[in-house]
Amino acid sequence: MSEYAQAQNRERQQRLERVWGNLPGWGALAAVNHTTVGLRFIATGLMFFLVGGLLAMLIRTQLALPGQDIIESGLYNQLFTMHGTVMMFLFAIPVLEGLAMYLIPKMIGTRDLVFPRLSALGYFCYVFGGLIVLSSLVLEVAPDAGWFMYTPLSSATYSPGPGSDFWLLGITFVEISAISAGIELVVSILRTRAPGMSLNKMPIFCWYILAMALMIVFGFPPLILGSVLLELERAAGFVFFETAGGGDPLLWQHLFWLFGHPEVYIIFLPAAGIVSTLIPVFARHPLVGYRWIVLSIITMGFISFGLWVHHMFTVGIPHLAQAFFSVASMLVAIPTGIQIFSWLATLWQGKVVFHLPMLWIIGFLVVFVCGGLTGVMLALAPFNWQVHDTHFVVAHMHYVLVGGMLFPLVAGLYYWLPHVSGRMPSDSLGRWGFWLFFGGFNLTFLLMHLTGLLGMPRRIYTYEAGLGWDWLNLVSSVGGFIMAIGVAVIVVDIVLHFRFGKRAEQNPWGADTLEWAIPMPVNTFNFSSLPSVDTRHPMWHTPRLVESIAAGEHGLADVQALRRDIYGSDATTGKLQEVVHLPTNSWLPLMTASALAALCVSLLMKAYLLAAVFTIVALGLVLRWGWENGAHPRAAPTDHNEAGAPPLHSRTFSGPGLWGMVVGLMADGTFYASLMFGWFYLWTAAPEWTVPAHDSVTLLPMILSGLVLTVAVIAYCHLVKGLRRGFAAHLGARLWLIAALGVGHWVLLAGQLVSAPLAPTERAHDAVLVVILLYLLLHSGLAVIFTSLQAVRARLGYTAVQLPYEPVVIQPFWLYTLGVYWVSFVAFVLLSNAWSVG
């Protein structure tokens, strides 16, 4: 390359850096770049991991010898509750989401995730939610009902302090973060892959993350619902889990494990994705059985939602149900086995190079297979009855979660560390860390199987001597401290390598995936130009990609109108469809998360008027966020684009926002389906369920309200149909008319909530009806607000026949609102009233 060409290339790179770079100083808090946000997730998750590890060491210290009173029983209950909470909610899922956020755009050949501000909001919600939960320890009011918060132990009667409230509000905050990341990852993987990267050319890691993200979308809403219901019961006296009022404490267990068991696979799948990515690199051979692994990923995702009851074998469920869930629990071993045999076949056919990451992969294979075998044992109901709530289950859980997640995670950290720092970690320190951790882990938890088989219960803070548990607990505690030393060595190695590590060459491991075509350490825009990809192994098949990308030989090589542009592609074929313009640095995610955090703190303080104020502030910030979107001048100032490029997404009918809305409604629909499950579960299983003798809700106003909503939705669909045909006469007036119809519907529905003779503090039946009416009011109100904003934007020229993007995005929300209204009318109102008459 000539000196002139080099100078031109440097100027082009500088322009990209100015547009894509983070603000200096405190302005870095406004960063929305996926690299920055992903690394923040990872770093924060690792900090929470150290906190959770410290809590575990306190637990092992207390249990090392019989009859100890180093920690009294109440504090011990808080410690094991917080240990499980921190590890499951604040470490495992967030750190894997952070890794996915960091890697996915780089692997699929783009510059950022498709909703950057949503990523940043998710991070701040995660941090604030985690701090709310941990602050309960500092304030000495930590929850003590276990990380699963079973009712009635977590109810106001048996946990009268604020500990359970800290858990419910803080974890719900964190769950919102997880769902936002799930939506972000699903849409980014499906809609922003490099041109030519069809689904069957996608890196296998992306398949794992796609499955994980969809499982988050469908798996987390049941727990959010359960947390909302339990907090309403604790704060407002609503009856959902109180038997005397027609509730059932087992409803909480169903809602929790509807989330909890898929969560195990949500944690496992990204870790298995790391394994499937690293083994071909160090075996120097393509992954054997790519299609079989994809099929096993999809199968595992489906099966995982049908296993939740195997956590409840001892609560008295019918034997037929136990048999069904026992078989289902064993079936999940099939897709797991497919992946393990694929990994072994790849190692067998390749020439394995045992670099440091590979050591952790071998450790994973050993530990996880052992955990899987004990999982099959626990799937057998008679054996489960014998060891349920013993240390055997604790040992199994750690073999599956630590073996199945932490070992691959550390392998991945060592593998991608040069990508972040441009330096190599110490091989000798890393090996010391591995053997200390591996040995300490097995010393701790292998023997714990024996303590469980000998009858030692979980969650006891002390035990008598002479029960056969003494030496086993002592050795387990020693192993725990050896494991902690191993963690310390790994932390020291990672910290020191940033200063003293050897400079890494480009693609130091000889990898095949696209993230290694980026300069190291990584920049803020990933690729100087966006390549087309037609193979699963671009770095093996086209080694010159590094130079051609840097030289600007591919798409979007320069900045257009100071926009952050990426390509949008077809979800299946990867064919180029549009240029997606992304928002730049923004303070709105931090401000919105701060308002939501203040809302949570206000609820903890029972300051409900203040909570209402912060709710309004948060809503205002969200609307302000949505205002600078689509065709707003700050979002897409001009149509100017490089020659031959496709249109901007804000000028189309099928941009990523539409996909984001649909995936978001999937999560919303799962929340609604969980509420309906709770309704019918209580109706059929709650021993004291009662239906009032009078009609709970008046039918005529409900029918009239539904008819008004139906007219509004039909009018909106007709408006969108006209936009698609190029007709937009009186667009603003028609939007205002639809909003007015929505207001009429909302007023009629609100009147029913106010006037209906409901007693939510006395009957679970009425409590559920109040929740469903509030749910319907929320959605109708949001639809009205969205449509009113569109009317204003039409007036300003941000929405028009040439700019139809935003009305199309809102259409699924109106349709969903209409659908859940009429389903609710039949399932909740008609059924209840018919029963009352009967």
Side-chain angles (χ1 to χ4, degrees), residues 384-404:
N384 190 294
W385 296 338
Q386 301 302 314
V387 299
H388 190 81
D389 272 344
T390 70
H391 274 220
F392 187 93
V393 176
V394 178
H396 159 73
M397 184 172 66
H398 283 81
Y399 261 80
V400 169
L401 294 178
V402 177

Side-chain angles (χ1 to χ4, degrees), residues 392-537:
F392 187 93
V393 176
V394 178
H396 159 73
M397 184 172 66
H398 283 81
Y399 261 80
V400 169
L401 294 178
V402 177
M405 177 267 180
L406 192 59
F407 277 81
L409 176 65
V410 178
L413 290 177
Y414 273 118
Y415 176 74
W416 282 295
L417 210 50
H419 201 274
V420 178
S421 65
R423 296 177 181 271
M424 301 296 289
S426 166
D427 190 72
S428 58
L429 268 180
R431 289 177 185 272
W432 269 103
F434 169 78
W435 287 113
L436 286 167
F437 188 90
F438 183 80
F441 173 82
N442 285 286
L443 200 59
T444 301
F445 295 106
L446 184 61
L447 296 180
M448 203 175 285
H449 290 94
L450 297 178
T451 39
L453 291 173
L454 289 172
M456 183 172 180
R458 301 168 68 181
R459 302 184 287 275
I460 58 169
Y461 82 103
T462 189
Y463 54 95
E464 296 179 3
L467 296 174
W469 310 337
D470 305 20
W471 73 271
L472 291 169
N473 273 301
L474 178 60
V475 175
S476 284
S477 293
V478 171
F481 281 94
I482 293 173
M483 184 166 52
I485 295 170
V487 171
V489 172
I490 295 166
V491 171
V492 168
D493 184 21
I494 291 174
V495 171
L496 291 181
H497 107 283
F498 281 96
R499 177 69 183 272
F500 303 107
K502 176 185 174 184
R503 290 283 181 183
E505 60 184 26
Q506 187 72 38
N507 195 6
W509 311 113
D512 60 328
T513 43
L514 207 53
E515 77 271 20
W516 294 104
I518 298 171
M520 301 189 311
V522 66
N523 56 36
T524 54
F525 51 86
N526 294 341
F527 301 95
S528 297
S529 55
L530 301 184
S532 297
V533 175
D534 59 359
T535 172
R536 292 179 201 149
H537 313 286

Side-chain angles (χ1 to χ4, degrees), residues 279 283 285 288 341-352:
I279 282 181
H285 190 281
V288 173
F341 282 116
S342 173
W343 298 330
L344 294 177
T346 305
L347 293 171
W348 181 267
Q349 293 192 8
K351 296 180 179 179
V352 182

